[in-house]
Amino acid sequence: MLLRAALTIAISASTAHAALARDIAVADQTQFKAAVKAAKPGDSIILADGEWRDFQIVFTGTGTAGKPITLTAQTKGKVILTGQSNLRLGGRHLVVSGLVFRGGASPTDQVISFRRDSKTLASDSRVTEVVIDGYSKADRRAEDIWVALYGTGNRVDHSHFEGKTNSGVTLAVIRRAGDPLDNRHRIDHNYFGPRPPLGSNGGETIRIGTSEESLSASNSVVERNIFDRTSGEVEIVSVKSGGNIIRENLVLEAQGAFVLRHGNGNLVERNIFLGRNVPDTGGVRVINRDQIVRGNYFEGLAGTSFKSAISVMNGVPNSVINRYHQVANARIEGNSIIDSARITLAAGADAERSAAPTDSKFERNLIVGAKGQDPFRAEGEITGITFAGNVEAKVAKPLVGAGVEQRDVTLERAPNGLFYPTDPALAAVGAPRDLKPVTREEVGASWYRGYAPEAAFGTGTVRRLAAGASLAQAVADTKAGDTLALATGTYDVAAPLALRHRLTIAGAKGAKPVVRVASGLAQIESGGGLQLENLAVDASKASGEGALIAATAGIAPNYSIALEGVSVRGPGKGRLDGIVMAPGTFADDVTITNSDFAEMGVVVAATGEQEPKGWYPMERLTIAGSNFARVAMVADLLRKGTDESTFGPWFAMTGSSVADSGRDGASLRISGAQHADIAQNNFAKSDGILVIHSVGAPETRIASNAFAATPAPRIEELAWKGPPRGLVAGNIVEARP
């Protein structure tokens, strides 16, 4: 009888306790605030499906490990935070899930913050199955962080982050003096989707700490995430603290590298980097003391220098906290470097970075260089690195002798999709055979795969337009990817066409249309892009000193402009520029092929970014098979600053002619480009080529050009005291009479 009574009491107590956990449905912001105030451990606050605009969520409370307080969606993926929305968590044992941030940007400098304010941090809390997709500020120079981790013991997992186009880290561990520094955060099973180049420093995907507190340990873990084309800048993951583990991540076609930038005693192991020969794809960069890089797999990485498959940097003697501390006691062991361009040792060695690596080991690594070449490069002294037990596929003149055995190496793909040597004697060399690449199904929110990218040029409907019809009305009626096919005849454009999606305007087959402009032809607005094909633009009566094609301020995401078979006649040299970018905008690429320009100002004017931080207006500018007569300049491309965190700009001009052109001593001026290829062009009675090196290790080739009555090309070095770098060869220079 006593046993039955005790059992009855226990059941009653359990039932009463379970009843305390509530699902609190809320339909507006007022109800949400009341629900947060009343929430107890075990409660779930459920946001109604639909769009929540301008909702600055403040979610605070104290749950328990077994009974957290939860904020979730009525249906995962159907609660959309838009406009000026964000989320702040403060307290303990809080869980947020199922929300989507899309169609706006945070009104503050953080979208999701693990603190309510500077005194109320979150700890032992979790954000899971949350999406932030394209939630970027319109001006790419406006900085914010999508997820800011404060406090201790927090977790971000199974979430989806894609399409950040403005400055700032996607996910950052914030470590400030006075806050807990032993963070023990976990960042796992997330999908970090495409992030295009920012065109400046500040485009990291993950950053753990900053230099100020970097000599203490964060002890955070980044594991089993996918980094898919996360190419914001040269540091994909920037480690600026100690004791962190970066483990079992998959990196796909991402430009840049995992960088042990500050802090000591970090471990990078069992990660898989697949570059697929995309330019600037890299692996791991080592700086500071006691770093371990082991059991990683690198394949098809095309990056060099700081973006090599493995780079070990030179340091600055007695370095201040935010520069480069000397590498000491590094252990680089059991990695496979397959079909990759470069392993760079003593990287960045110069007059300032003169402290070579010391007391470090490079052991049991498997090296198979790209195209049978030796990937090893030494930019300084490497006697402080001991080599042992490494195997390299035979090369004619290996850089490293002792400790790197030259052998015939035959590879085959294992069931895990990775290459391993067929020779059993090499089983203990290189990456372990039990690596298991994380799959897309394991990461991100299972219910979210993002939106299809905007339709590319020429993939939509072809809309035929009779001569004399209104181009402005026709443009307004188009959709992304459409083509306006113009007939023979004249089309008048009284004011620039507003483009808000990708659009092609082309001459129909066999047609010879002429577009006559009164001021400018087109204005690229947010989401816009323009492709012109096989038509003539008559701007000879254009008024003012404007632009034929202008990219307006606040454009996001990155845009493209392409001209093929286009002829443009302007109102006179210097009076109308061609393509002009407003500050804060950024083009993925501008391409001009088989086109003709006459009586123009600067055909591509890309000098709007004047800040010393290193912003620049486009990633790639390509000119081929085109003619320029009586133009102020073919291109004026400027990238200022000395920061080394970017990939571009890339510039190429081939098979083109320039006549009676130039201004301020140059008919072509390229400043700060990291890659410049100027070949097989003809310059006649024009000012010369000026290439200015101001940052990084630029690659410049000026070759096989002809200069008639035109000065020889010049390379000026602003940040390098040695002889001009770059190849200038095979040019024919005929002096002015």
Side-chain angles (χ1 to χ4, degrees):
M1 188 69 176
L2 289 174
L3 178 60
R4 180 178 296 177
L7 184 59
T8 301
I9 292 170
I11 292 173
S12 298
S14 177
T15 304
H17 190 67
L20 295 176
R22 301 168 297 164
D23 288 344
I24 308 171
V26 298
D28 59 39
Q29 296 188 32
T30 300
Q31 292 180 8
F32 171 78
K33 290 178 182 177
V36 170
K37 188 174 182 180
K40 299 292 190 293
D43 287 352
S44 292
I45 301 171
I46 302 172
L47 301 183
D49 289 350
E51 180 181 284
W52 293 69
R53 179 168 291 276
D54 302 333
F55 186 14
Q56 296 183 43
I57 303 172
V58 179
F59 178 39
T60 58
T62 303
T64 66
K67 297 183 183 302
I69 302 173
T70 299
L71 170 63
T72 191
Q74 178 184 349
T75 306
K76 290 178 179 179
K78 292 189 177 181
V79 170
I80 313 298
L81 285 305
T82 67
Q84 293 190 322
S85 297
N86 59 17
L87 166 65
R88 286 178 285 157
L89 297 80
R92 295 195 66 193
H93 298 295
L94 305 175
V95 177
V96 179
S97 69
L99 310 181
V100 177
F101 288 86
R102 191 178 66 229
S106 173
T108 64
D109 60 0
Q110 297 171 0
V111 179
I112 297 176
S113 177
F114 279 74
R115 71 172 188 176
R116 182 184 182 222
D117 51 45
S118 61
K119 296 180 180 179
T120 312
L121 311 184
S123 60
D124 302 315
S125 294
R126 181 182 183 192
V127 167
T128 183
E129 292 190 277
V130 165
V131 172
I132 308 179
D133 190 345
Y135 205 65
S136 300
K137 296 181 185 296
D139 188 331
R140 69 182 176 122
R141 298 168 301 179
E143 183 174 353
D144 67 4
I145 296 170
W146 274 8
V147 180
L149 277 160
Y150 296 87
T152 59
N154 296 311
R155 183 183 182 194
V156 178
D157 67 284
H158 294 91
S159 291
H160 183 114
F161 308 108
E162 177 177 357
K164 194 175 198 301
T165 56
N166 66 306
S167 180
V169 183
T170 304
L171 183 152
V173 175
I174 310 295
R175 310 179 71 245
R176 307 177 313 153
D179 286 349
L181 297 179
D182 181 17
N183 306 115
R184 294 175 284 105
H185 298 313
R186 186 179 176 201
I187 303 160
D188 65 285
H189 294 88
N190 300 290
Y191 175 74
F192 293 97
R195 178 172 185 176
L198 175 64
S200 176
N201 185 19
E204 304 98 325
T205 296
I206 291 179
R207 188 187 70 217
I208 306 175
T210 55
S211 59
E212 289 80 2
E213 305 297 331
S214 60
L215 297 182
S216 60
S218 174
N219 296 318
S220 293
V221 177
V222 179
E223 64 180 347
R224 294 198 73 76
N225 303 281
I226 290 179
F227 296 86
D228 180 7
R229 292 163 287 166
T230 48
S231 302
E233 61 142 275
V234 297
E235 298 185 20
I236 302 168
V237 175
S238 181
V239 177
K240 295 184 175 181
S241 53
N244 301 290
I245 298 174
I246 316 297
R247 176 170 59 204
E248 295 186 350
N249 300 284
L250 176 63
V251 185
L252 301 172
E253 298 181 29
Q255 294 174 286
F258 287 6
V259 180
L260 304 177
R261 184 65 182 87
H262 298 300
N264 305 313
N266 295 288
L267 171 62
V268 181
E269 68 173 350
R270 298 176 64 85
N271 301 283
I272 297 169
F273 297 78
L274 303 177
R276 296 168 183 157
N277 296 309
V278 171
D280 291 321
T281 47
V284 178
R285 178 154 51 115
V286 179
I287 313 163
N288 312 301
R289 297 187 59 86
D290 305 325
Q291 315 285 27
I292 299 174
V293 180
R294 70 185 180 202
N296 300 284
Y297 181 91
F298 309 91
E299 181 185 339
L301 302 180
T304 60
S305 188
F306 289 0
K307 304 172 291 289
S308 300
I310 292 177
S311 58
V312 181
M313 281 201 68
N314 254 35
V316 176
N318 302 310
S319 176
V320 295
I321 193 71
N322 65 342
R323 285 301 287 157
Y324 291 91
H325 287 206
Q326 184 179 26
V327 172
N329 193 39
R331 299 292 182 264
I332 302 169
E333 55 194 25
N335 304 285
S336 290
I337 302 100
I338 307 295
D339 188 31
S340 293
R342 194 65 49 85
I343 299 169
T344 304
L345 308 174
D350 58 19
E352 181 203 21
R353 292 181 293 225
S354 60
T358 184
D359 191 31
S360 296
K361 295 182 178 180
F362 192 95
E363 299 180 338
R364 295 181 290 102
N365 300 286
L366 176 69
I367 301 105
V368 180
K371 300 178 181 178
Q373 300 297 308
D374 184 5
F376 282 105
R377 295 291 186 278
E379 297 183 351
E381 179 61 54
I382 61 171
T383 55
I385 303 174
T386 300
F387 297 85
N390 303 285
V391 171
E392 180 180 15
K394 280 185 178 179
V395 297
K397 296 181 178 180
L399 175 73
V400 183
V404 181
E405 181 184 359
Q406 298 291 309
R407 293 189 56 159
D408 291 321
V409 177
T410 302
L411 303 173
E412 67 177 7
R413 288 207 184 273
N416 65 0
L418 309 180
F419 274 124
Y420 293 94
T422 58
D423 187 347
L426 300 180
V429 178
R433 294 178 180 254
D434 63 348
L435 291 181
K436 185 179 180 182
V438 61
T439 66
R440 184 66 182 86
E441 291 69 30
E442 293 176 62
V443 302
S446 60
W447 39 265
Y448 192 86
R449 284 296 180 267
Y451 284 88
E454 184 180 352
F457 290 129
T459 58
T461 301
V462 176
R463 302 169 182 262
R464 301 190 178 278
L465 200 63
S470 169
L471 261 178
Q473 184 59 53
V475 168
D477 293 339
T478 61
K479 296 181 179 179
D482 284 357
T483 297
L484 292 177
L486 309 187
T488 298
T490 301
Y491 299 78
D492 285 307
V493 177
L497 305 168
L499 300 180
R500 300 181 179 91
H501 51 245
R502 289 187 178 92
L503 179 68
T504 299
I505 302 175
K509 187 175 181 180
K512 295 183 178 180
V514 176
V515 178
R516 189 163 54 198
V517 302
S519 55
L521 172 61
Q523 184 168 287
I524 311 295
E525 299 184 359
S526 185
L530 177 63
Q531 180 172 265
L532 297 177
E533 292 182 344
N534 304 320
L535 53 81
V537 178
D538 180 2
S540 60
K541 300 294 192 295
S543 60
E545 296 184 355
L548 190 70
I549 302 171
T552 61
I555 291 177
N558 303 23
Y559 66 96
S560 296
I561 295 174
L563 280 64
E564 163 70 31
V566 175
S567 66
V568 181
R569 184 177 183 84
K573 180 179 176 180
R575 288 186 53 206
L576 180 72
D577 290 334
I579 301 170
V580 179
M581 291 87 172
T585 64
F586 191 73
D588 282 329
D589 53 81
V590 174
T591 304
I592 298 172
T593 53
N594 303 317
S595 295
D596 299 288
F597 299 83
E599 308 296 346
M600 299 280 294
V602 180
V603 177
V604 181
T607 61
E609 300 290 2
Q610 294 292 331
E611 295 184 23
K613 184 178 178 182
W615 296 100
Y616 56 96
M618 70 178 77
E619 189 69 6
R620 292 176 181 271
L621 173 57
T622 305
I623 300 170
S626 296
N627 304 306
F628 304 86
R630 298 174 301 284
V631 302
M633 285 190 196
V634 174
D636 194 0
L637 174 58
L638 174 65
R639 185 256 197 246
K640 296 188 75 175
T642 58
D643 185 87
E644 300 171 291
S645 298
T646 55
F647 308 109
W650 296 68
F651 174 77
M653 179 174 171
T654 57
S656 298
S657 67
V658 181
D660 299 306
S661 297
R663 185 173 70 189
D664 300 330
S667 59
L668 174 66
R669 182 165 57 198
I670 307 298
S671 179
Q674 293 303 286
H675 308 270
D677 189 10
I678 304 167
Q680 298 180 325
N681 303 289
N682 292 297
F683 292 78
K685 298 180 181 178
S686 298
D687 291 339
I689 296 171
L690 175 59
V691 176
I692 300 171
H693 291 164
S694 59
V695 60
E699 300 173 352
T700 296
R701 184 176 78 107
I702 305 174
S704 303
N705 301 284
F707 299 89
T710 297
R714 290 185 294 137
I715 297 178
E716 291 186 2
E717 301 283 356
L718 298 185
W720 172 258
K721 303 307 180 185
R725 294 166 292 180
L727 172 68
V728 181
N731 300 289
I732 301 173
V733 181
E734 176 187 324
R736 292 182 185 270

